[in-house]
Amino acid sequence: MKISDLRNQKGLTLLEVLIAMVILGIALLMLLNMSMVALTSNDWSNKATIVTQAIQKKLEELRSTPNPVSGIDSLNGVNLYWSVSSPQNHLREVYLSASWEDLTSEYKNTSVTTYIQSDSV
């Protein structure tokens, strides 16, 4: 084989392979980050649904109670606190607060204020 044939060979150099590996590594790290964001968002969405259902269930329970009183309860990993007051006749103000722990072990909370009409004063 002649020396001129060795110089004209087409192929990849070590530098080109290293650059390709760096680009591939960065792309894989970005995909990993995107998957972590997706997992966190999915957990947040799941918890938001559970919290909404727990709040709705408790409000329906308080509406069906003739004289609701304040209290604390836990449903599906959601801690609920509610207080009931009577701002006017035949009307009850219900303040309901829910707290839960998310995927990163941080406590989140939300609250709802609503009014319930009652037959008793």
Side-chain angles (χ1 to χ4, degrees), residues 101-118:
E101 188 175 356
D102 70 356
L103 191 63
T104 60
S105 299
E106 291 181 30
Y107 280 95
K108 306 287 184 181
N109 58 23
T110 187
S111 61
V112 175
T113 302
T114 188
Y115 293 90
I116 298 175
Q117 181 179 356
S118 68

Side-chain angles (χ1 to χ4, degrees), residues 1-9:
M1 193 177 233
K2 295 181 184 177
I3 294 182
S4 62
D5 289 339
L6 290 175
R7 290 185 184 151
N8 292 333
Q9 286 185 358

Side-chain angles (χ1 to χ4, degrees), residues 41-97:
S41 298
N42 189 20
D43 180 66
W44 179 86
S45 177
N46 185 35
K47 289 289 187 179
T49 301
I50 290 171
V51 168
T52 303
Q53 290 174 343
I55 288 172
Q56 183 67 31
K57 183 177 180 180
K58 185 51 69 178
L59 285 175
E60 291 298 326
E61 182 182 313
L62 292 172
R63 279 191 186 113
S64 65
T65 305
N67 290 319
V69 293
S70 301
I72 299 173
D73 197 3
S74 181
L75 295 168
N76 299 327
V78 178
N79 299 319
L80 297 171
Y81 162 77
W82 65 94
S83 63
V84 180
S85 59
S86 301
Q88 297 177 359
N89 292 341
H90 302 288
L91 191 64
R92 303 284 185 256
E93 180 183 31
V94 177
Y95 172 78
L96 196 139
S97 176

Side-chain angles (χ1 to χ4, degrees), residues 22-57:
V22 167
I23 292 172
L24 181 64
I26 290 172
L28 289 176
L29 284 174
M30 286 182 184
L31 285 175
L32 179 64
N33 185 31
M34 285 176 32
S35 66
M36 292 305 296
V37 169
L39 284 174
T40 304
S41 298
N42 189 20
D43 180 66
W44 179 86
S45 177
N46 185 35
K47 289 289 187 179
T49 301
I50 290 171
V51 168
T52 303
Q53 290 174 343
I55 288 172
Q56 183 67 31
K57 183 177 180 180

